[in-house]
């Protein structure tokens, strides 16, 4: 499979702060790549560097095989569309005029393109409405239409569902899936809402404190997110000490509830607890979700 984006030890420092620390990531053609990280993890910084809005401190990256810093990179970036932080929309212009303005900027002025895109993102009924009178969800769909004007085949969306209501979130998600399936657009989408990304991503990159923690396909993740044991005990804190000694992977929840991850049998858990005089009052098997997988990955044991 072709690699569209490849970063090589990409670093960005703001003074002493390492916002990106030797990031190596890979995006294959046709993927919806979910970039997952908590607030401040470095997602926007990474996206801004790829989009050419910021310089890396060190390291490099390739876009469509073009090296960072070369003329070929300028050409490769023309294949890229995106929304980074707040969408670049003119508030006093209508939806159609925003698209026309972008078409002129891209050197492809055409009313036909604007109408087709408005229709594609489901805004043809409000084409003459001013952006400032639109709902947040409409604005976000318009921003995606604007990003599509140059006919990109790689779309970068930085937290596109931020602040949207449930209906707006579903509309954006369906639009992204439609763009990926119908127009074969590769998508890089960042978010800290893991449950939302899990409904559309085909590949994941986890980032924490500027470091790339893992890259994994949705299928591999599904396999890894297999069972966890949920224990109800009389003393979770005492149990954590024994679990640490036994090298078990666990997370303490409220009310003396403990999640245990990995390949371990219920019998073994009973034995470990019994050896420390701790009582397991109930034990269940549950599927680990993306959220607990991520917390587990970045060391969310508390
Ligand atoms: P969020 O989800 O909150 O947008 P993020 O994962 O996108 O977070 P970044 O915005 O890339 O994270 O920020 C990474 C780190 O770099 C944070 O600690 C942030 O405070 C810091 N940072 C970002 N931009 C600057 C800047 N211009 N000057 C100094 N520090 C910055």
């Amino acid at each position: 499979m072709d690699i569209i984006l490849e970063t090589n030890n990409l670093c960005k420092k703001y003074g002493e702060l390492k916002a990106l620390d030797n990031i190596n990531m890979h995006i294959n053609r046709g993927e919806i790549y979910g970039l997952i990280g908590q607030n401040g993890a470095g997602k926007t910084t990474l996206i801004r560097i790829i989009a050419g809005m910021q310089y890396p401190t060190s390291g490099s990256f390739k876009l469509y095989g073009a090296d960072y810093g070369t003329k070929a990179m300028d050409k490769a970036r023309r294949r890229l569309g995106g929304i980074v932080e707040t969408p670049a929309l003119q508030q006093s212009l209508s939806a159609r005029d925003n698209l026309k303005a972008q078409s002129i900027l891209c050197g492809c002025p055409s009313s036909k393109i604007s109408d087709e895109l408005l229709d594609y993102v489901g805004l043809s009924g409000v084409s003459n409405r001013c952006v400032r009178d639109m709902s947040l969800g409409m604005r976000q769909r318009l921003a995606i239409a604007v990003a599509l004007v140059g006919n990109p085949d790689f779309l970068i969306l930085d937290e596109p569902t931020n602040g949207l209501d449930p209906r707006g979130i579903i509309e954006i998600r369906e639009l992204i899936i439609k763009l990926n399936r119908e127009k074969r657009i590769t998508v890089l989408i960042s978010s800290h809402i893991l449950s939302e990304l899990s409904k559309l991503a085909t590949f994941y990159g986890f980032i924490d404190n500027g470091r790339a923690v893992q890259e994994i396909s949705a299928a591999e993740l599904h396999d890894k997110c297999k069972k966890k044991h949920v224990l109800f005990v009389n003393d979770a804190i005492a149990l954590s000490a024994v679990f640490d000694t036994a090298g078990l992977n666990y997370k303490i929840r409220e009310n003396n509830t403990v999640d245990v991850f990995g390949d371990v049998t219920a019998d073994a858990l009973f034995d470990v607890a019994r050896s420390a005089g701790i009582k397991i009052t109930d034990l269940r098997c549950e599927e680990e979700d993306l959220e607990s997988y991520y917390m587990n990955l970045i060391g969310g044991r508390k």
Side-chain angles (χ1 to χ4, degrees):
M1 194 184 267
D2 302 339
I3 293 183
I4 287 191
L5 175 74
E6 189 177 5
T7 70
N8 180 18
N9 293 327
L10 206 59
C11 294
K12 178 71 185 179
K13 280 177 97 181
Y14 296 112
E16 285 308 301
L17 178 84
K18 281 185 181 170
L20 296 181
D21 188 2
N22 286 302
I23 295 280
N24 292 305
M25 68 184 276
H26 312 82
I27 301 184
N28 294 321
R29 189 185 299 276
E31 302 284 7
I32 298 181
Y33 188 105
L35 180 63
I36 298 182
Q38 293 171 316
N39 288 337
K43 305 178 296 293
T44 303
T45 302
L46 179 62
I47 284 174
R48 288 176 67 88
I49 290 174
I50 295 162
M53 299 161 76
Q54 251 174 339
Y55 297 112
T57 310
S58 62
S60 61
F61 66 95
K62 282 184 184 207
L63 188 64
Y64 290 101
D67 282 309
Y68 169 70
T70 63
K71 277 224 153 105
M73 174 59 77
D74 296 340
K75 208 170 154 199
R77 281 218 178 94
R78 281 184 221 135
R79 298 174 69 174
L80 194 149
I83 309 176
V84 184
E85 291 159 314
T86 35
L89 298 173
Q90 297 295 326
Q91 300 294 313
S92 56
L93 294 184
S94 68
R96 182 183 280 115
D97 285 344
N98 263 282
L99 282 166
K100 280 189 187 159
Q102 183 65 17
S103 305
I104 291 165
L105 278 176
C106 288
C108 48
S110 156
S111 307
K112 194 165 161 262
I113 293 175
S114 304
D115 289 340
E116 276 171 11
L117 285 174
L118 284 169
D119 190 39
Y120 199 82
V121 301
L123 290 178
S124 40
V126 291
S127 56
N128 292 319
R129 191 178 295 181
C130 263
V131 168
R132 62 168 166 251
D133 298 328
M134 288 180 156
S135 70
L136 202 56
M138 286 176 183
R139 280 182 219 180
Q140 209 59 333
R141 277 184 284 148
L142 178 60
I144 292 180
V146 168
L148 292 172
V149 166
N151 211 13
D153 42 20
F154 182 29
L155 203 55
I156 298 185
L157 304 171
D158 188 17
E159 311 245 10
T161 53
N162 248 4
L164 298 188
D165 61 16
R167 188 179 157 172
I169 291 176
I170 293 170
E171 284 169 352
I172 292 293
R173 183 202 310 150
E174 288 177 349
L175 177 57
I176 294 169
I177 293 174
K178 190 163 91 155
L179 286 165
N180 177 255
R181 296 207 179 134
E182 291 179 0
K183 292 187 182 275
R184 308 244 164 249
I185 294 180
T186 305
V187 183
L188 166 59
I189 172 170
S190 77
S191 182
H192 57 268
I193 312 172
L194 309 188
S195 53
E196 177 48 35
L197 271 193
S198 70
K199 295 191 178 95
L200 75 168
T202 58
F203 214 95
Y204 297 94
F206 295 95
I207 180 169
D208 181 45
N209 269 326
R211 286 197 205 99
V213 188
Q214 189 179 54
E215 285 191 302
I216 187 168
S217 72
E220 284 172 305
L221 184 63
H222 180 74
D223 281 351
K224 287 204 173 197
C225 281
K226 42 187 192 227
K227 291 189 178 117
K228 68 174 175 185
H229 288 95
V230 183
L231 311 185
F232 300 88
V233 297
N234 62 340
D235 188 345
I237 300 299
L239 188 68
S240 70
V242 224
F243 276 4
D244 281 340
T245 312
L248 288 170
N249 207 350
Y250 68 93
K251 185 167 103 183
I252 296 178
R253 291 200 267 155
E254 69 278 11
N255 300 326
N256 279 327
T257 308
V258 184
D259 293 341
V260 187
F261 307 96
D263 255 346
V264 57
T265 62
D267 280 349
L269 292 174
F270 273 111
D271 284 348
V272 174
R274 205 177 297 124
S275 69
I278 295 155
K279 215 168 149 191
I280 297 180
T281 52
D282 196 4
L283 182 149
R284 287 178 209 155
C285 262
E286 284 180 11
E287 189 101 354
E288 187 189 4
D289 61 11
L290 179 58
E291 192 132 9
S292 49
Y293 179 84
Y294 172 65
M295 291 311 288
N296 203 25
L297 188 71
I298 64 168
R301 292 188 294 167
K302 285 268 171 345

